[in-house]
Each structure stands twice: as structure tokens, then as C-alpha cells.
Amino acid sequence: MDTRLVKDRLGRFERVHRTFVNAQKKVERRRVQLNAAQARLAECDAVQDEAVDTLARALIADGEPRGNPFDPFGRPAPGTLMRLPFAEEAAAVHKLVAAVQRSKDVSKATIQAAQAADKTAGVVEEALGRSAKLQDTVRDARRTRDASGRDGNRPSPR
């Protein structure tokens, strides 16, 4: 079969396809990195939730209300706080810790629990930042891949 009539177009298609495949591999690598960062963020959030629970128990031991030991500090109940989105929860933990540390009626154990919760909130914020950066790299890699596919669809001048 004589393919001379389509040889140039097939060559262009082959080059564009190769570029697209390589760009897709980059997208996949970035996506794997993002998945790992999101898993790490979830792990950090679980640790933060444990720290919030520990702080709640310490406050109850100090005599705060069992229904919501955070109420005297202007914060939602532990369960509500733990269900907030990652960034909002970390910010709420920081505010709660600041309020607890200003209080004169808390024990040393409660102060230590508050400091631990504050530290875990910082770790969550760091993990959130890494995840956000990786989301940007995945988005950029997809744009590059998609652009490489579009460039090859332009007909050549005859």
C-alpha cells in the first residue's frame, strides 16, 4: 500500500503522540506524589484529632463541662471541631490553645495537652501546604499534556 500521501501526517501524529505519552507519564508521577501527600495530611489530621481529644479530657479533669469542655473558651465541641476542613480545624485549634493558655484555672497537664495540640495543628498546616503545592504541579502537568495534544491537531500548510 502506498502511504506517501499520508506519510507527513503520520510522522506528525507519531511525534505528537510521543510527546503526549511522555507528558502523561509526568502527570502520573505528580499524581502519585500528590496521593502520598494527601495520605500524609490525613495521618497528620488523625494525630491532631487525638491531641484535641486529649486536650478535651484534660479540661474535663480540670472541671470544665463534659458536654463541651471547649465552650468556656469560645470553641465548638471536640467532635464538631474535628469534623472541620483541615485548614479550619488547625486554625480553630490554634485559637483554642491560645485561649486555654490565657486561662489561670487550668492544670499543668492541660497546658501540656494544649501545647501538644498546637504543635499537631502546625504539622497539619505544613502538610496542607505541601499538598496544595503538589496540586498545583499536577494541574500544571495536565495543562502541559493537554497543550501538547492540541498542538498536533493543527493541519500543516500544503
Side-chain angles (χ1 to χ4, degrees), residues 30-81:
R30 302 289 192 283
R31 185 68 192 155
V32 166
Q33 293 171 340
L34 175 59
N35 288 345
Q38 289 173 332
R40 171 78 175 129
L41 176 58
E43 291 169 3
C44 293
D45 182 61
V47 172
Q48 178 178 251
D49 289 348
E50 289 175 26
V52 166
D53 193 48
T54 300
L55 177 56
R57 287 193 312 271
L59 286 167
I60 291 168
D62 284 350
E64 297 301 342
R66 185 172 200 152
N68 180 6
F70 302 157
D71 189 46
F73 305 98
R75 297 289 121 204
T80 303
L81 189 110

Side-chain angles (χ1 to χ4, degrees), residues 101-124:
Q101 289 177 329
R102 284 191 303 267
S103 176
K104 303 295 181 200
D105 300 328
V106 295
S107 67
K108 185 176 178 181
T110 298
I111 293 294
Q112 289 173 341
Q115 291 169 341
D118 196 50
K119 184 176 178 181
T120 62
V123 172
V124 166

Side-chain angles (χ1 to χ4, degrees), residues 74-107:
R75 297 289 121 204
T80 303
L81 189 110
M82 288 185 236
R83 286 189 300 273
L84 292 173
F86 296 130
E88 290 178 36
E89 181 181 349
V93 168
H94 287 308
K95 289 178 183 176
L96 171 62
V97 167
V100 168
Q101 289 177 329
R102 284 191 303 267
S103 176
K104 303 295 181 200
D105 300 328
V106 295
S107 67

Side-chain angles (χ1 to χ4, degrees), residues 17-30:
H17 181 56
R18 190 178 316 114
T19 300
F20 186 85
V21 167
N22 289 335
Q24 177 60 28
K25 288 177 183 177
K26 288 180 183 178
V27 169
E28 290 169 7
R29 283 192 302 270
R30 302 289 192 283

